[in-house]
Amino acid sequence: MSSTRNTAFPASDTALRVEPLARPLPARQAAASILQGFDRHYALFRYSAQRAKALFEAGDWRGMQQLSRERIDYYDQRVRECASALASRLARQGGDADPSPHWQAIKQEFVALLDEHSQPECAETFFNSVSCRVLRREYFNNACLFVRPAVATEYLEGQRPAFRAYYPTRTGLRATLRRMLGDFGLAAPFEDLPRDVRLLARAAVGLLRQALPKGHGPRLGQDCQVHVHATLFFRNKGAYLVGRLVNQGAIHPFCIPLLRLPSGQIHVDALLHGQDALSRVFSFARTYFLVDMEAPSATVRFLATLLPRKPLAELYTMIGLQKQGKTLFYRDFLQHLAHSGDQFETAAGIPGMVMFVFTLPSYPYVFKIIRDRIEKDRMSAAIVRRKYQQVKLHDRAGRMADTWEYSQVALPRHRFSDALLQALRTHIPSQLEEQGDTLVFRHVYIERRMTPLNIYLWQAGPQARAAALAEYGDAIRELAATNLFPGDMLFKNFGVTRLGRVVFYDYDEIQSMAEMNFRHIPEAPDDDAEMSAETWYATGPNDVFPEEFEHFLFSDPALREPFAAKHAELLRPEWWRDCQARIARGGIADIFPYDPGIRFPSHTSSTGDGLAQQR
């Protein structure tokens, strides 16, 4: 990526055209106006997390879903408001003169205003978004933007620390756990707090026994501390206590999910520990958390000690600050490009009919661009964008990859082979602009790279293949339980993550379950009709015949048999109709980011939605 003029910092959306007025707004006033816009945004962002706590206590799961959807749009709404307010007052000196010097002055004044601010990194990203909306594309450039952070956040804290510390060697493990749970001040009683504390203590001892060398026993050293994030992480129907046990110099990350039962009581559901377990909780395929943070950089620093393999960009995204995640991804990618030499290449797998996908082998992400000529009937670029936005707002249930959406992405021409460049010119000419040594892509989706399921199944041995097919069935079940029908269920549209999870990533044909008509295949009137390549029955646009899955997806017995061993009912319309009926009754699925086998017992095992509990 280049730092020359016309190279946009892609933490923004399409630039807003602004008509010049008589005189420019003084730089300090403009900077203050932008910061006020950000402060309004972040106040609403924090209020959402505070509302999430009340919704969890009340068991208002529909309200929680609605809040999660609404919050995603908060940022763009505040950017539009701020840009509109500036547009009514800001002008370019000399009419068509270059406004860059004035915006550089605004940027300097903005930095001065961030002294003692608790969210400076997010405020800088907000500044970028506003400036890219206000300036015409020929004028916004990296000198007017925060390409690198201007304010350090390494040791930034709010008025209250991001985490609380407990000392189990002083008070005892059970007393520590009891106090730790009580300090969150939930306005609902625990179902059986002594039992939950006893189960947690037993599981914690097991954690230590696994972590320490053989023969040492589950000992707590004199330096033993338990650090817990000061506020809970809310998502869907769960609240998550996130922390770390520091013992004898080692950090043991853990997470404690809390559930609200139909009785209105709180139940400790499990103790999750280890980086892999927490990675599933903070997966890129799950809905963003609602968590109250005065200084988000302190929260991210804390999470980074628990999940050191996760990029900071993904951690910011998972706590709901996806625009800051975009900014950090861009910075990380610039750094990677400067220190690597490999070339972009077409992504592995069967080429899609809707997206052209390429990747950089040394970087674990793919770049997806809508083709100019979409090879699917009744499909357009506008529909594809709408589907991707639908997924962004939906409960992804750990089964749909999140994407970062960028505009005006500039990449160095020399990192593209002649063959790939020719393919880009052929398939996405309207999305490509060639500017000397730079290629500018007008609209790009970026997401985590996964192994396409069809390739994984072809390469895997029998045991791994069976596990992946079981995961594939689980993914379909969980998507359906959240009221989404994948549409095209071919293996090439699913990927396998590092942890072996199967995730869906082709969204152009998704529809709600309520729209679908799941049918049996009618009996053929005669043998000739049954042997014919043509169907002998009429079909509607939303008709689905699950019995056909067996023929189109599992013609190979090596695939059909392990799938049918666990998911045979998915090949019959009755299961799908039952799922539709449960959704119509208003049920919200219990889909937890951990295995059911580790759950603690409860006097009341169901959360009351009538749906089968799944992972």
Side-chain angles (χ1 to χ4, degrees), residues 473-538:
D474 285 341
I476 292 172
R477 287 176 183 271
E478 293 170 19
L479 289 174
T482 63
N483 196 25
L484 270 186
F485 180 66
D488 190 345
M489 296 196 298
L490 293 175
F491 298 141
K492 70 182 183 68
N493 298 323
F494 292 77
V496 183
T497 70
R498 177 184 65 85
L499 296 177
R501 296 273 290 174
V502 170
V503 174
F504 184 55
Y505 54 58
D506 189 342
Y507 306 143
D508 49 273
E509 292 192 21
I510 61 169
Q511 291 180 263
S512 74
M513 288 284 289
E515 297 177 278
M516 312 314 296
N517 181 27
F518 296 97
R519 297 175 53 189
H520 276 288
I521 298 176
E523 289 189 15
D526 51 51
D527 292 342
D528 290 340
E530 189 168 6
M531 297 300 293
S532 173
E534 302 295 327
T535 58
W536 59 88
Y537 47 90

Side-chain angles (χ1 to χ4, degrees), residues 83-95:
S84 178
L86 284 176
S88 66
R89 302 178 63 194
L90 250 167
R92 302 190 304 273
Q93 280 183 306

Side-chain angles (χ1 to χ4, degrees), residues 283-296:
S283 167
F284 64 87
R286 297 192 183 277
T287 305
Y288 307 144
F289 281 109
L290 295 117
V291 53
D292 187 20
M293 307 164 288
E294 182 182 358

Side-chain angles (χ1 to χ4, degrees), residues 20-216:
L21 299 180
R23 57 180 180 173
L25 185 68
R28 182 128 187 130
Q29 287 181 254
S33 178
I34 296 172
L35 187 58
Q36 288 169 5
F38 169 75
D39 288 343
R40 171 171 164 73
H41 158 68
Y42 200 76
L44 291 170
F45 180 88
R46 290 192 67 183
Y47 178 60
S48 296
Q50 293 157 10
R51 283 178 59 199
K53 180 175 181 289
L55 291 170
F56 173 78
E57 292 164 343
D60 185 353
W61 312 131
R62 291 292 178 192
M64 188 78 81
Q65 287 186 335
Q66 181 66 24
L67 177 63
S68 295
R69 288 193 294 267
E70 290 176 352
R71 192 189 62 170
I72 288 174
D73 288 332
Y74 282 178
Y75 183 91
D76 287 336
Q77 291 172 9
R78 302 293 84 76
V79 168
R80 286 193 293 268
E81 289 174 1
C82 190
S84 178
L86 284 176
S88 66
R89 302 178 63 194
L90 250 167
R92 302 190 304 273
Q93 280 183 306
D96 291 327
D98 184 355
S100 298
H102 185 50
W103 270 94
Q104 291 174 39
I106 296 174
K107 177 182 171 184
Q108 292 174 354
E109 293 289 352
F110 192 81
V111 172
L113 294 174
L114 294 180
D115 187 36
E116 303 299 325
H117 201 279
S118 296
Q119 308 95 33
E121 76 281 25
C122 300
E124 290 173 358
T125 290
F126 189 86
F127 180 97
N128 290 340
S129 297
V130 171
S131 62
C132 288
R133 281 181 175 272
V134 170
L135 290 170
R136 294 206 309 253
R137 183 176 167 223
E138 62 264 32
Y139 288 120
F140 64 74
N141 60 70
N142 289 348
C144 301
L145 305 169
F146 291 98
V147 178
R148 290 179 294 275
V151 178
T153 60
E154 282 81 358
Y155 299 99
L156 186 63
E157 285 278 4
Q159 292 184 354
R160 296 182 178 180
F163 64 87
R164 289 190 289 265
Y166 302 89
Y167 304 92
T169 55
R170 300 180 188 174
T171 61
L173 181 58
R174 292 194 183 186
T176 296
L177 293 172
R178 187 179 298 107
R179 180 185 167 195
M180 183 178 72
L181 293 170
D183 281 349
F184 288 102
L186 287 168
F190 280 84
E191 180 192 32
D192 189 339
L193 184 58
R195 178 206 61 201
D196 289 346
V197 167
R198 183 175 66 254
L199 292 170
L200 277 174
R202 187 182 303 161
V205 169
L207 184 163
L208 285 171
R209 185 173 286 115
Q210 293 178 24
L212 291 175
K214 288 185 177 180
H216 285 70

